[in-house]
Amino acid sequence: MAQIDGLPPLREVIATHDLQAKKALGQNFLLDLNLTARIARAAGDLTGADVIEVGPGPGGLTRGLLAEGARRVLAIEKDPRCLPALAEIAAAYPGRLQVIGGDALEIDPLDHLTPPIKIVANLPYNVGTELLVRWLTPPAWPPFWTSLTLMFQKEVAERIVARPGSKAYGRLALLAQWRSEARIVLTLPPSAFTPPPKIDSAVVHLTALPQPRYPAPAKLLERVVAAAFNQRRKMLRAALKSLDPQIEGRLDRLGIAPTARAEEIGLEQFCALARDLDTPRA
Ligand code: SAM
C-alpha cells in the first residue's frame, strides 16, 4: 500500500469507523492509494485548482487529490457514517478540505469555490448519469468547470465516448461531445474495488471546449437528440415527427435521409437539424 500521506491505511479507516459498504448508496470503495493518486493525476495539474468530489466515502480519492496538490477540495457525501473519517483527512490538510454532508443532487457547491474548478469523482452508479447530464447541460457555455474526471461503469463510459454507427452511440455521446472533449483514460477490473462490483469500470476525462463544436440552440438540440434516440430503431421521419409534422421536408433539405436511423447521424447533422427547427418554415 502506497504511503502518500501520514494517515492510516484505508482498510484500517474502514474498520475503525465501521464503514461496511451499503449497496443502496452505490458504495464500491477504492482502497489502493496508488490507484486513487493515479485517478487524481488523470485530472491534470491540480495545484491551481479547486476540486469538487462527489461521494468521497472513506476518502481514498480525496487523499489522492490532496496529495497531488489540489488547492482545495470540496467533497459532498450523503452517508453520515463517512463524515468522521473525512474529518480526520481535513485535519491532516488544514484549510484544504471542506466536507458537506448531503445529497449531491440537491447541493450547489459553487458558493464555496474559486475558478478554475475541476470535478473528480468515483461516482455512485445510481446518480452518476444524472449528475453528468446536469454538468453537460447548463444554460450557458463554458460551464463553471474546466474538466470532469469521472469513474463510471465501463458500459456508461463507452456511451460517453461512442461514435456514430456503434450500439453505444446515443444521447450521452452527443451531449458530451458537442461541448467537450471526452476520452476514457483508465479501465479498472472489479477487483480494484471493495466490495467488487459485477462489471468493469472506467474513468472518463472530459475537457470543456471554449465553445460548442457546432452552433445549435441547446434546449432544442437536447430535445431532438432525446426524440431521435428514444425510438432509436425507428426511421428519423417517424421518430422526429412529434417535433414538427413537416420534419421530412426539413431532413431532405439538410441532406439527411428521412429513412436513416438516429445512430447513423453525426453530431454536425444533429446540430444543423436543431438550428433548422429553430427557424420557422419558409
Ligand atoms: N470516493 C470513494 C472511493 O472511491 O472509494 C467512494 C466511491 S463510492 C462508488 C460512491 C460514494 O458516493 C459513496 O461514498 C456513497 O455514500 C456516496 N453517495 C451516494 N449517493 C450520493 C449522493 N446522492 N450524494 C453524495 N454522495 C453520494
Side-chain angles (χ1 to χ4, degrees):
M1 183 67 64
Q3 194 61 38
I4 63 166
D5 53 34
L7 290 156
L10 283 157
R11 285 195 191 283
E12 201 175 306
V13 172
I14 285 183
T16 308
H17 297 283
D18 199 17
L19 298 177
Q20 291 307 316
K22 285 189 185 169
K23 210 173 166 188
L25 285 168
Q27 292 183 335
N28 299 98
F29 299 135
L30 289 168
L31 303 187
D32 178 350
L33 291 167
N34 265 320
L35 190 56
T36 63
R38 237 173 106 193
I39 297 168
R41 282 196 293 278
D45 182 14
L46 297 177
T47 50
D50 282 4
V51 177
I52 298 173
E53 186 193 0
V54 173
L61 181 54
T62 321
R63 286 163 64 175
L65 294 164
L66 290 162
E68 289 299 318
R71 183 173 59 195
R72 289 190 57 218
V73 176
L74 178 76
I76 305 170
E77 174 55 61
K78 189 171 176 183
D79 185 351
R81 297 179 309 154
C82 297
L83 301 181
L86 295 166
E88 287 171 9
I89 305 174
Y93 289 94
R96 288 177 58 202
L97 172 62
Q98 182 182 354
V99 180
I100 301 181
D103 186 338
L105 293 172
E106 283 160 20
I107 290 167
D108 177 4
L110 282 190
D111 294 349
H112 308 267
L113 296 172
T114 320
I117 297 168
K118 291 175 180 254
I119 303 181
V120 187
N122 173 13
L123 289 171
Y125 72 94
N126 44 352
V127 292
T129 312
E130 179 166 353
L131 284 169
L132 174 67
V133 169
R134 283 191 196 187
W135 291 326
L136 290 173
T137 55
W141 201 264
F144 71 87
W145 51 268
T146 57
S147 69
L148 310 173
T149 309
L150 306 172
M151 175 94 69
F152 290 99
Q153 294 171 326
K154 189 172 165 218
E155 169 259 324
V156 177
E158 284 169 347
R159 278 163 45 205
I160 297 167
V161 303
R163 314 303 296 181
S166 68
K167 252 174 75 183
Y169 181 65
R171 177 170 167 257
L172 269 191
L174 286 155
L175 290 184
Q177 296 171 33
W178 180 42
R179 299 195 283 195
S180 70
E181 182 76 52
R183 64 203 161 86
I184 292 179
V185 289
L186 193 64
T187 302
L188 293 177
S191 58
F193 301 85
T194 303
K198 290 204 172 62
I199 45 177
D200 285 350
S201 300
V203 176
V204 186
H205 182 72
L206 301 103
T207 312
L209 297 171
Q211 56 193 27
R213 263 177 232 279
Y214 308 103
K219 285 289 156 217
L220 199 47
L221 179 63
E222 283 171 41
R223 279 180 54 211
V224 172
V225 167
F229 284 96
N230 264 345
Q231 301 173 298
R232 61 186 294 146
R233 301 224 316 267
K234 280 199 176 168
M235 294 177 187
L236 285 178
R237 67 177 173 213
L240 299 178
K241 194 143 206 149
S242 61
L243 295 175
D244 180 358
Q246 312 297 324
I247 194 71
E248 193 155 350
R250 290 187 187 270
L251 291 167
D252 271 336
R253 200 150 21 91
L254 293 166
I256 303 171
T259 50
R261 289 173 172 81
E263 67 185 37
E264 299 165 49
I265 305 302
L267 173 60
E268 189 171 4
Q269 287 173 305
F270 273 116
C271 290
L273 183 55
R275 285 197 306 275
D276 192 75
L277 283 162
D278 205 25
T279 52
R281 269 181 317 118

PDB file of all heavy atoms in Angstrom, residues 164-187:
ATOM      1  N   PRO A 164     -20.714   7.616 -34.011  1.00  0.00           N
ATOM      2  CA  PRO A 164     -21.889   7.186 -34.779  1.00  0.00           C
ATOM      3  C   PRO A 164     -21.699   5.775 -35.342  1.00  0.00           C
ATOM      4  O   PRO A 164     -20.588   5.380 -35.670  1.00  0.00           O
ATOM      5  CB  PRO A 164     -21.962   8.203 -35.922  1.00  0.00           C
ATOM      6  CG  PRO A 164     -21.215   9.389 -35.441  1.00  0.00           C
ATOM      7  CD  PRO A 164     -20.179   8.903 -34.479  1.00  0.00           C
ATOM      8  N   GLY A 165     -22.797   5.057 -35.419  1.00  0.00           N
ATOM      9  CA  GLY A 165     -22.743   3.714 -36.005  1.00  0.00           C
ATOM     10  C   GLY A 165     -22.553   2.626 -34.974  1.00  0.00           C
ATOM     11  O   GLY A 165     -22.752   1.454 -35.269  1.00  0.00           O
ATOM     12  N   SER A 166     -22.171   2.991 -33.748  1.00  0.00           N
ATOM     13  CA  SER A 166     -21.971   1.946 -32.743  1.00  0.00           C
ATOM     14  C   SER A 166     -23.218   1.826 -31.875  1.00  0.00           C
ATOM     15  O   SER A 166     -24.005   2.765 -31.766  1.00  0.00           O
ATOM     16  CB  SER A 166     -20.749   2.267 -31.880  1.00  0.00           C
ATOM     17  OG  SER A 166     -21.017   3.403 -31.093  1.00  0.00           O
ATOM     18  N   LYS A 167     -23.355   0.689 -31.225  1.00  0.00           N
ATOM     19  CA  LYS A 167     -24.529   0.447 -30.377  1.00  0.00           C
ATOM     20  C   LYS A 167     -24.569   1.396 -29.187  1.00  0.00           C
ATOM     21  O   LYS A 167     -25.625   1.754 -28.684  1.00  0.00           O
ATOM     22  CB  LYS A 167     -24.490  -1.003 -29.867  1.00  0.00           C
ATOM     23  CG  LYS A 167     -25.539  -1.877 -30.527  1.00  0.00           C
ATOM     24  CD  LYS A 167     -25.396  -3.330 -30.117  1.00  0.00           C
ATOM     25  CE  LYS A 167     -25.901  -3.571 -28.704  1.00  0.00           C
ATOM     26  NZ  LYS A 167     -25.703  -4.959 -28.273  1.00  0.00           N
ATOM     27  N   ALA A 168     -23.376   1.795 -28.741  1.00  0.00           N
ATOM     28  CA  ALA A 168     -23.301   2.651 -27.541  1.00  0.00           C
ATOM     29  C   ALA A 168     -23.621   4.115 -27.855  1.00  0.00           C
ATOM     30  O   ALA A 168     -23.837   4.922 -26.953  1.00  0.00           O
ATOM     31  CB  ALA A 168     -21.894   2.549 -26.942  1.00  0.00           C
ATOM     32  N   TYR A 169     -23.663   4.460 -29.148  1.00  0.00           N
ATOM     33  CA  TYR A 169     -23.859   5.862 -29.562  1.00  0.00           C
ATOM     34  C   TYR A 169     -25.283   6.309 -29.256  1.00  0.00           C
ATOM     35  O   TYR A 169     -26.235   5.598 -29.548  1.00  0.00           O
ATOM     36  CB  TYR A 169     -23.590   5.947 -31.056  1.00  0.00           C
ATOM     37  CG  TYR A 169     -23.723   7.312 -31.680  1.00  0.00           C
ATOM     38  CD1 TYR A 169     -22.873   8.354 -31.329  1.00  0.00           C
ATOM     39  CD2 TYR A 169     -24.683   7.555 -32.648  1.00  0.00           C
ATOM     40  CE1 TYR A 169     -22.985   9.602 -31.936  1.00  0.00           C
ATOM     41  CE2 TYR A 169     -24.798   8.794 -33.268  1.00  0.00           C
ATOM     42  CZ  TYR A 169     -23.945   9.817 -32.898  1.00  0.00           C
ATOM     43  OH  TYR A 169     -24.050  11.047 -33.495  1.00  0.00           O
ATOM     44  N   GLY A 170     -25.407   7.489 -28.661  1.00  0.00           N
ATOM     45  CA  GLY A 170     -26.739   7.996 -28.348  1.00  0.00           C
ATOM     46  C   GLY A 170     -26.655   9.342 -27.664  1.00  0.00           C
ATOM     47  O   GLY A 170     -25.711  10.115 -27.872  1.00  0.00           O
ATOM     48  N   ARG A 171     -27.650   9.610 -26.812  1.00  0.00           N
ATOM     49  CA  ARG A 171     -27.794  10.921 -26.186  1.00  0.00           C
ATOM     50  C   ARG A 171     -26.542  11.331 -25.398  1.00  0.00           C
ATOM     51  O   ARG A 171     -26.073  12.466 -25.511  1.00  0.00           O
ATOM     52  CB  ARG A 171     -29.024  10.840 -25.278  1.00  0.00           C
ATOM     53  CG  ARG A 171     -29.299  12.058 -24.482  1.00  0.00           C
ATOM     54  CD  ARG A 171     -30.678  11.924 -23.837  1.00  0.00           C
ATOM     55  NE  ARG A 171     -30.843  12.930 -22.818  1.00  0.00           N
ATOM     56  CZ  ARG A 171     -30.739  12.689 -21.515  1.00  0.00           C
ATOM     57  NH1 ARG A 171     -30.475  11.462 -21.080  1.00  0.00           N
ATOM     58  NH2 ARG A 171     -30.881  13.669 -20.655  1.00  0.00           N
ATOM     59  N   LEU A 172     -26.006  10.398 -24.610  1.00  0.00           N
ATOM     60  CA  LEU A 172     -24.848  10.768 -23.777  1.00  0.00           C
ATOM     61  C   LEU A 172     -23.653  11.178 -24.629  1.00  0.00           C
ATOM     62  O   LEU A 172     -22.967  12.161 -24.330  1.00  0.00           O
ATOM     63  CB  LEU A 172     -24.433   9.602 -22.882  1.00  0.00           C
ATOM     64  CG  LEU A 172     -25.038   9.496 -21.491  1.00  0.00           C
ATOM     65  CD1 LEU A 172     -24.293   8.454 -20.682  1.00  0.00           C
ATOM     66  CD2 LEU A 172     -25.063  10.834 -20.756  1.00  0.00           C
ATOM     67  N   ALA A 173     -23.394  10.415 -25.698  1.00  0.00           N
ATOM     68  CA  ALA A 173     -22.259  10.742 -26.574  1.00  0.00           C
ATOM     69  C   ALA A 173     -22.438  12.135 -27.173  1.00  0.00           C
ATOM     70  O   ALA A 173     -21.503  12.945 -27.196  1.00  0.00           O
ATOM     71  CB  ALA A 173     -22.146   9.713 -27.698  1.00  0.00           C
ATOM     72  N   LEU A 174     -23.647  12.418 -27.635  1.00  0.00           N
ATOM     73  CA  LEU A 174     -23.872  13.702 -28.304  1.00  0.00           C
ATOM     74  C   LEU A 174     -23.795  14.858 -27.323  1.00  0.00           C
ATOM     75  O   LEU A 174     -23.164  15.888 -27.609  1.00  0.00           O
ATOM     76  CB  LEU A 174     -25.213  13.661 -29.031  1.00  0.00           C
ATOM     77  CG  LEU A 174     -25.121  12.797 -30.307  1.00  0.00           C
ATOM     78  CD1 LEU A 174     -26.468  12.237 -30.700  1.00  0.00           C
ATOM     79  CD2 LEU A 174     -24.513  13.606 -31.451  1.00  0.00           C
ATOM     80  N   LEU A 175     -24.402  14.697 -26.157  1.00  0.00           N
ATOM     81  CA  LEU A 175     -24.328  15.779 -25.159  1.00  0.00           C
ATOM     82  C   LEU A 175     -22.880  16.018 -24.742  1.00  0.00           C
ATOM     83  O   LEU A 175     -22.436  17.154 -24.590  1.00  0.00           O
ATOM     84  CB  LEU A 175     -25.148  15.437 -23.914  1.00  0.00           C
ATOM     85  CG  LEU A 175     -26.672  15.437 -24.057  1.00  0.00           C
ATOM     86  CD1 LEU A 175     -27.326  15.183 -22.709  1.00  0.00           C
ATOM     87  CD2 LEU A 175     -27.149  16.760 -24.642  1.00  0.00           C
ATOM     88  N   ALA A 176     -22.136  14.938 -24.546  1.00  0.00           N
ATOM     89  CA  ALA A 176     -20.755  15.073 -24.077  1.00  0.00           C
ATOM     90  C   ALA A 176     -19.856  15.660 -25.163  1.00  0.00           C
ATOM     91  O   ALA A 176     -19.049  16.551 -24.901  1.00  0.00           O
ATOM     92  CB  ALA A 176     -20.219  13.721 -23.629  1.00  0.00           C
ATOM     93  N   GLN A 177     -20.021  15.170 -26.387  1.00  0.00           N
ATOM     94  CA  GLN A 177     -19.057  15.541 -27.433  1.00  0.00           C
ATOM     95  C   GLN A 177     -19.394  16.874 -28.110  1.00  0.00           C
ATOM     96  O   GLN A 177     -18.556  17.452 -28.775  1.00  0.00           O
ATOM     97  CB  GLN A 177     -18.960  14.403 -28.453  1.00  0.00           C
ATOM     98  CG  GLN A 177     -18.389  13.132 -27.810  1.00  0.00           C
ATOM     99  CD  GLN A 177     -18.483  11.914 -28.708  1.00  0.00           C
ATOM    100  OE1 GLN A 177     -18.396  12.019 -29.922  1.00  0.00           O
ATOM    101  NE2 GLN A 177     -18.669  10.746 -28.109  1.00  0.00           N
ATOM    102  N   TRP A 178     -20.590  17.362 -27.916  1.00  0.00           N
ATOM    103  CA  TRP A 178     -20.952  18.649 -28.514  1.00  0.00           C
ATOM    104  C   TRP A 178     -20.103  19.777 -27.920  1.00  0.00           C
ATOM    105  O   TRP A 178     -19.605  20.651 -28.618  1.00  0.00           O
ATOM    106  CB  TRP A 178     -22.450  18.926 -28.286  1.00  0.00           C
ATOM    107  CG  TRP A 178     -22.911  20.232 -28.869  1.00  0.00           C
ATOM    108  CD1 TRP A 178     -22.565  20.747 -30.084  1.00  0.00           C
ATOM    109  CD2 TRP A 178     -23.798  21.179 -28.268  1.00  0.00           C
ATOM    110  NE1 TRP A 178     -23.196  21.954 -30.287  1.00  0.00           N
ATOM    111  CE2 TRP A 178     -23.959  22.253 -29.180  1.00  0.00           C
ATOM    112  CE3 TRP A 178     -24.497  21.234 -27.059  1.00  0.00           C
ATOM    113  CZ2 TRP A 178     -24.757  23.355 -28.916  1.00  0.00           C
ATOM    114  CZ3 TRP A 178     -25.308  22.318 -26.802  1.00  0.00           C
ATOM    115  CH2 TRP A 178     -25.433  23.378 -27.723  1.00  0.00           C
ATOM    116  N   ARG A 179     -19.946  19.724 -26.592  1.00  0.00           N
ATOM    117  CA  ARG A 179     -19.267  20.861 -25.956  1.00  0.00           C
ATOM    118  C   ARG A 179     -18.037  20.464 -25.140  1.00  0.00           C
ATOM    119  O   ARG A 179     -17.510  21.266 -24.392  1.00  0.00           O
ATOM    120  CB  ARG A 179     -20.261  21.623 -25.066  1.00  0.00           C
ATOM    121  CG  ARG A 179     -21.426  22.170 -25.878  1.00  0.00           C
ATOM    122  CD  ARG A 179     -22.230  23.208 -25.147  1.00  0.00           C
ATOM    123  NE  ARG A 179     -23.127  22.655 -24.150  1.00  0.00           N
ATOM    124  CZ  ARG A 179     -24.135  23.340 -23.596  1.00  0.00           C
ATOM    125  NH1 ARG A 179     -24.350  24.582 -23.929  1.00  0.00           N
ATOM    126  NH2 ARG A 179     -24.912  22.779 -22.705  1.00  0.00           N
ATOM    127  N   SER A 180     -17.625  19.204 -25.266  1.00  0.00           N
ATOM    128  CA  SER A 180     -16.391  18.838 -24.560  1.00  0.00           C
ATOM    129  C   SER A 180     -15.629  17.778 -25.347  1.00  0.00           C
ATOM    130  O   SER A 180     -16.141  17.186 -26.286  1.00  0.00           O
ATOM    131  CB  SER A 180     -16.709  18.357 -23.140  1.00  0.00           C
ATOM    132  OG  SER A 180     -17.357  17.123 -23.182  1.00  0.00           O
ATOM    133  N   GLU A 181     -14.405  17.585 -24.923  1.00  0.00           N
ATOM    134  CA  GLU A 181     -13.529  16.558 -25.497  1.00  0.00           C
ATOM    135  C   GLU A 181     -13.573  15.426 -24.480  1.00  0.00           C
ATOM    136  O   GLU A 181     -13.220  15.655 -23.316  1.00  0.00           O
ATOM    137  CB  GLU A 181     -12.121  17.179 -25.561  1.00  0.00           C
ATOM    138  CG  GLU A 181     -11.049  16.349 -26.162  1.00  0.00           C
ATOM    139  CD  GLU A 181     -11.171  16.329 -27.671  1.00  0.00           C
ATOM    140  OE1 GLU A 181     -11.253  17.412 -28.269  1.00  0.00           O
ATOM    141  OE2 GLU A 181     -11.206  15.210 -28.219  1.00  0.00           O
ATOM    142  N   ALA A 182     -14.017  14.242 -24.897  1.00  0.00           N
ATOM    143  CA  ALA A 182     -14.195  13.152 -23.916  1.00  0.00           C
ATOM    144  C   ALA A 182     -13.356  11.949 -24.309  1.00  0.00           C
ATOM    145  O   ALA A 182     -13.355  11.536 -25.460  1.00  0.00           O
ATOM    146  CB  ALA A 182     -15.672  12.751 -23.861  1.00  0.00           C
ATOM    147  N   ARG A 183     -12.608  11.401 -23.335  1.00  0.00           N
ATOM    148  CA  ARG A 183     -11.884  10.159 -23.634  1.00  0.00           C
ATOM    149  C   ARG A 183     -11.788   9.295 -22.380  1.00  0.00           C
ATOM    150  O   ARG A 183     -11.816   9.808 -21.252  1.00  0.00           O
ATOM    151  CB  ARG A 183     -10.501  10.437 -24.226  1.00  0.00           C
ATOM    152  CG  ARG A 183      -9.560  11.134 -23.336  1.00  0.00           C
ATOM    153  CD  ARG A 183      -8.452  11.858 -24.109  1.00  0.00           C
ATOM    154  NE  ARG A 183      -7.877  12.865 -23.220  1.00  0.00           N
ATOM    155  CZ  ARG A 183      -6.897  12.623 -22.361  1.00  0.00           C
ATOM    156  NH1 ARG A 183      -6.341  11.437 -22.310  1.00  0.00           N
ATOM    157  NH2 ARG A 183      -6.455  13.581 -21.562  1.00  0.00           N
ATOM    158  N   ILE A 184     -11.684   7.992 -22.615  1.00  0.00           N
ATOM    159  CA  ILE A 184     -11.502   7.052 -21.498  1.00  0.00           C
ATOM    160  C   ILE A 184     -10.010   7.020 -21.178  1.00  0.00           C
ATOM    161  O   ILE A 184      -9.193   6.819 -22.074  1.00  0.00           O
ATOM    162  CB  ILE A 184     -12.028   5.647 -21.872  1.00  0.00           C
ATOM    163  CG1 ILE A 184     -13.554   5.694 -22.011  1.00  0.00           C
ATOM    164  CG2 ILE A 184     -11.601   4.616 -20.830  1.00  0.00           C
ATOM    165  CD1 ILE A 184     -14.212   4.380 -22.396  1.00  0.00           C
ATOM    166  N   VAL A 185      -9.668   7.252 -19.911  1.00  0.00           N
ATOM    167  CA  VAL A 185      -8.237   7.319 -19.567  1.00  0.00           C
ATOM    168  C   VAL A 185      -7.770   6.120 -18.740  1.00  0.00           C
ATOM    169  O   VAL A 185      -6.563   5.925 -18.574  1.00  0.00           O
ATOM    170  CB  VAL A 185      -7.901   8.637 -18.820  1.00  0.00           C
ATOM    171  CG1 VAL A 185      -7.977   9.816 -19.772  1.00  0.00           C
ATOM    172  CG2 VAL A 185      -8.794   8.872 -17.615  1.00  0.00           C
ATOM    173  N   LEU A 186      -8.703   5.339 -18.229  1.00  0.00           N
ATOM    174  CA  LEU A 186      -8.312   4.226 -17.354  1.00  0.00           C
ATOM    175  C   LEU A 186      -9.476   3.247 -17.282  1.00  0.00           C
ATOM    176  O   LEU A 186     -10.628   3.672 -17.170  1.00  0.00           O
ATOM    177  CB  LEU A 186      -8.053   4.808 -15.955  1.00  0.00           C
ATOM    178  CG  LEU A 186      -7.362   3.990 -14.902  1.00  0.00           C
ATOM    179  CD1 LEU A 186      -5.938   3.679 -15.326  1.00  0.00           C
ATOM    180  CD2 LEU A 186      -7.328   4.774 -13.580  1.00  0.00           C
ATOM    181  N   THR A 187      -9.170   1.950 -17.378  1.00  0.00           N
ATOM    182  CA  THR A 187     -10.210   0.933 -17.197  1.00  0.00           C
ATOM    183  C   THR A 187      -9.807   0.070 -16.003  1.00  0.00           C
ATOM    184  O   THR A 187      -8.636  -0.276 -15.866  1.00  0.00           O
ATOM    185  CB  THR A 187     -10.333   0.061 -18.471  1.00  0.00           C
ATOM    186  OG1 THR A 187     -10.627   0.933 -19.556  1.00  0.00           O
ATOM    187  CG2 THR A 187     -11.452  -0.947 -18.345  1.00  0.00           C
TER     188      THR A 187
END
